[in-house]
Amino acid sequence: MLHANIKTGEEVIHMATPAEEELGESKWEVKVPEKKLKDKLFFENLKAVVIDTNLCSRCLTCVSICPSGLIVTDEDIVGFPDFEKNCFDCGACVRVCPRFIYEPPSGLGNYIEIVAAKSKRFKGQDGAMATELIASAIDMGMIDQGLFVDRNEKWETSIFHVRYPEQVGVGTLGGTKYVFAGILPALKEAIRFTKKGVGVVGTPCMISGIRKLQQEFPVFKEKVKLVVGLFCTENFHYNDLMKFLRDEKGIEIEKILKTNISKGSMYVTVAGAEKKRKIKMAEFEERGLVAKGCDFCTDFTAVQSDASVGSVGSEAGFSTIIVRNENAKEVMAFIREKGTAEFGEKVVMDEIDYLIKFKKKREEHIKELKLPE
Amino acid sequence: MKKVGTPEYNLQDKLKYHLSALSTAAKQVALPLNITTHYPRERRRWPDCFRGYILFDPERCISCFQCSFICPANAIWMKEAPSNRYYPTLDYGKCIFCHFCVDSCPGGALKPTKIHDVAYRTMEEMLTLTEEMVEPPEIIREDKVFVDYVIDTEDLSLKRTKGRDNLIVEIAPSQGVPMVSQCVDRASCIACKVCEKVCESGAVSSIKDEERLIVKMAIDAEKCTGCGLCVKECSMQILRLVRK
Ligand SMILES: Cc1cc2nc3c(=O)[nH]c(=O)nc-3n(C[C@H](O)[C@H](O)[C@H](O)COP(=O)(O)OP(=O)(O)OC[C@H]3O[C@@H](n4cnc5c(N)ncnc54)[C@H](O)[C@@H]3O)c2cc1C
Ligand code: SF4
Ligand code: SF4
Ligand code: SF4
Ligand code: SF4
Ligand code: SF4
């Protein structure tokens, strides 16, 4: 039941229309992954190998696929209360977890072009090109839904399903929230209702999760059409970060307009204050505030994405975009044709290389890790 | 141009027409010929497809939620019974008597009646709980005659019959189009067995082959009633109902 995608020539699973299906008894086989801990439930395997070792990146791929719907992220940690009773032992979670069998991606990855650009219609963290890519993909009819990370006054994240480009220009949809977000569980919902396909923006760990989902399950391959990765060095747990900013730094969370990490410091723009608050990254590290899973992450540029967007490498107000495949190239061509973005002078590769190397060093942490046998 | 003049009657004609008019009036006084029924003393005999009060048979319900999903007025609320099963409750404050629920029920658990005259004192009372839907509601019946509308070639007339019409209709539950569940994207199945767990008819089976590390899934078309429960619950949304 394979046929080729008209555009890419890639083989995709064909969703048979009922009439094409032979009637009578319907039978099929499903592969079950191998357990590392033989006589334990699959969730216990995941817990022992990924969660208890702090390897977990909190990408929430497992949450998105678990049929019980009971994997949760209370207190910022991925867990499954009462899993002994409620885990179906299907193994879907370990099939999709990018860190159960971890092949850490790193480097600059494949690319067609690397450019600096700035959206003319949207405002964002840097050049709002992450937003522009998704909005343009909607405009050109490649996707009919884009998933964005929104936030409330308390900087708690939620996922917003964008259907019209006009929806993204307003409010808090653009901009970086340095806390984890439930993009993947929302993606599972989105593929149920999309006709043309879904576009997502996420951190490199989430991109790895999406690729795993696509590799394992054809529905994701068919319906997730544009995957935009963000450059990423680290992320924070919501409760820890807010407590620190509020209690130790005396910042009223509700008044924060923007957070930005650059050159080894976090800059917090607070409403009413003249100057940005500068907090050295070392302060976060000393207190162990950086999410533990990031310690084992070597992927700065989201090498598995269709296009990656980040701030380093281009001047202030511009985003750096790494266009990796034909899919993303098509969207960039559309942006150029419509003139919705302004292109920058050039990209300083040294800055990107520096952070790639910086993250590559974390391979040491992975080597030191003791995984259960 | 032709002019239409007043008809010319002679005395004999005039007398004849006057008498006829008087006799018609006298007849109507004695035996009025109207086309309204004297409800509640008499009741029109409605056809069996009349959309009235809805009864519920828990024996036939498979808790598929179909009725509550389809209700355009949001009048059906599924409530958990002590058996942990979910059954419909019906709010007559909202119901628009479209009977979509009756038609959608795969098990024929919702049954139409010809009852259209239930009175409530409060809005709260109109929320009819499952247990109250099993038996017909208490209504006061003053009717001793039922009325049929008879249409002959020219006229509509009423035919009155002594007795009481049975408001509970005895019709076989709707069979619907025979459907069967099928997996349309087998490679995306995670073998979570949710389908097997929810199937009331034992139509889904899963066998784990420990050696080959696979799970063999199967839907038995013979046993499948096409209720659609598995389609709704499948965690990967890869099951569909197709015509048998
Ligand atoms: C946790 C994190 C760490 C980062 N670290 C670096 C870094 O070290 N160096 C660097 O150059 N760039 C980093 N970035 C990327 C950078 O902050 C900008 O997101 C990027 O340059 C895109 O800017 P933009 O103006 O084009 O995006 P915009 O158009 O403003 O869009 C931002 C996009 O990011 C998404 N987003 C926001 N918060 C999150 C989140 N928590 N998780 C997933 N998606 C989110 C939004 O949905 C939106 O689509 C990081 C981003 C994140 C989320
Ligand atoms: S039910 Fe399946 S996916 Fe969920 S935790 Fe258990 S094995 Fe993992
Ligand atoms: S790394 Fe992602 S998929 Fe794996 S356990 Fe953590 S949240 Fe789940
Ligand atoms: S550093 Fe890696 S693990 Fe941490 S948020 Fe970024 S991509 Fe995810
Ligand atoms: S549709 Fe068929 S297989 Fe699915 S739950 Fe109903 S009877 Fe079982
Ligand atoms: S519920 Fe869906 S995914 Fe789960 S075993 Fe059944 S068909 Fe497969």
Side-chain angles (χ1 to χ4, degrees), chain B residues 22-172:
Chain B
L22 281 171
S23 88
T24 307
K27 251 194 238 160
Q28 287 298 330
V29 168
L31 264 178
L33 226 185
N34 55 19
I35 53 160
T36 46
T37 42
H38 296 173
Y39 174 82
R41 285 180 302 284
E42 44 184 51
R43 227 172 227 275
R44 186 166 162 200
R45 181 156 74 174
W46 296 105
D48 279 357
C49 59
F50 182 79
R51 296 181 196 162
Y53 191 91
I54 296 160
L55 292 180
F56 175 67
D57 179 357
E59 293 292 309
R60 288 175 164 274
C61 175
I62 55 168
S63 305
C64 68
F65 284 58
Q66 206 74 262
C67 51
S68 72
F69 278 116
I70 207 159
C71 176
N74 248 336
I76 299 183
W77 165 52
M78 299 298 284
K79 191 167 172 282
E80 194 173 1
S83 61
N84 288 337
R85 287 275 301 266
Y86 282 80
Y87 293 120
T89 67
L90 211 167
D91 189 349
Y92 281 104
K94 293 181 181 164
C95 176
I96 55 169
F97 295 94
C98 63
H99 280 209
F100 279 12
C101 54
V102 176
D103 294 341
S104 75
C105 177
L110 292 168
K111 295 180 294 186
T113 71
K114 297 197 251 178
I115 302 167
H116 59 76
D117 42 2
V118 188
Y120 299 92
R121 257 163 262 128
T122 62
M123 290 297 280
E124 288 71 38
E125 255 179 70
M126 299 183 88
L127 177 76
T128 315
L129 298 176
T130 311
E131 49 272 29
E132 297 164 341
M133 291 170 67
V134 176
E135 289 296 326
E138 212 181 294
I139 54 169
I140 298 168
R141 288 187 70 169
E142 295 169 37
D143 56 310
K144 295 190 177 67
V145 170
F146 61 83
V147 181
D148 288 302
Y149 278 31
V150 184
I151 303 171
D152 57 35
T153 42
E154 275 170 20
D155 242 340
L156 173 75
S157 63
L158 305 190
K159 180 170 159 272
R160 294 188 158 78
T161 316
K162 273 227 160 81
R164 273 185 175 185
D165 182 24
N166 182 11
L167 302 182
I168 311 298
V169 292
E170 299 301 339
I171 50 169

Side-chain angles (χ1 to χ4, degrees), chain A residues 124-131 149 175-177 179 231 233 310-312 319:
Chain A
Q125 181 74 7
D126 299 304
M129 284 307 287
T131 305
V149 179
T176 303
K177 294 92 190 167
V179 285
F231 291 1
T233 43
S311 76
V312 299
S319 307

Side-chain angles (χ1 to χ4, degrees), chain A residues 13-32:
Chain A
I13 298 277
H14 172 56
M15 307 276 262
T17 58
E20 288 170 44
E21 283 282 336
E22 74 276 24
L23 286 175
E25 230 179 11
S26 175
K27 282 183 181 156
W28 66 100
E29 292 182 347
V30 184
K31 70 165 184 180
V32 185

Side-chain angles (χ1 to χ4, degrees), chain A residues 46 50-51 55-62 78 96-99:
Chain A
L46 186 73
V50 186
I51 300 168
L55 194 55
C56 170
S57 68
R58 211 189 171 288
C59 62
L60 306 193
T61 320
C62 54
V78 174
V96 298
C97 172
R99 296 199 172 176

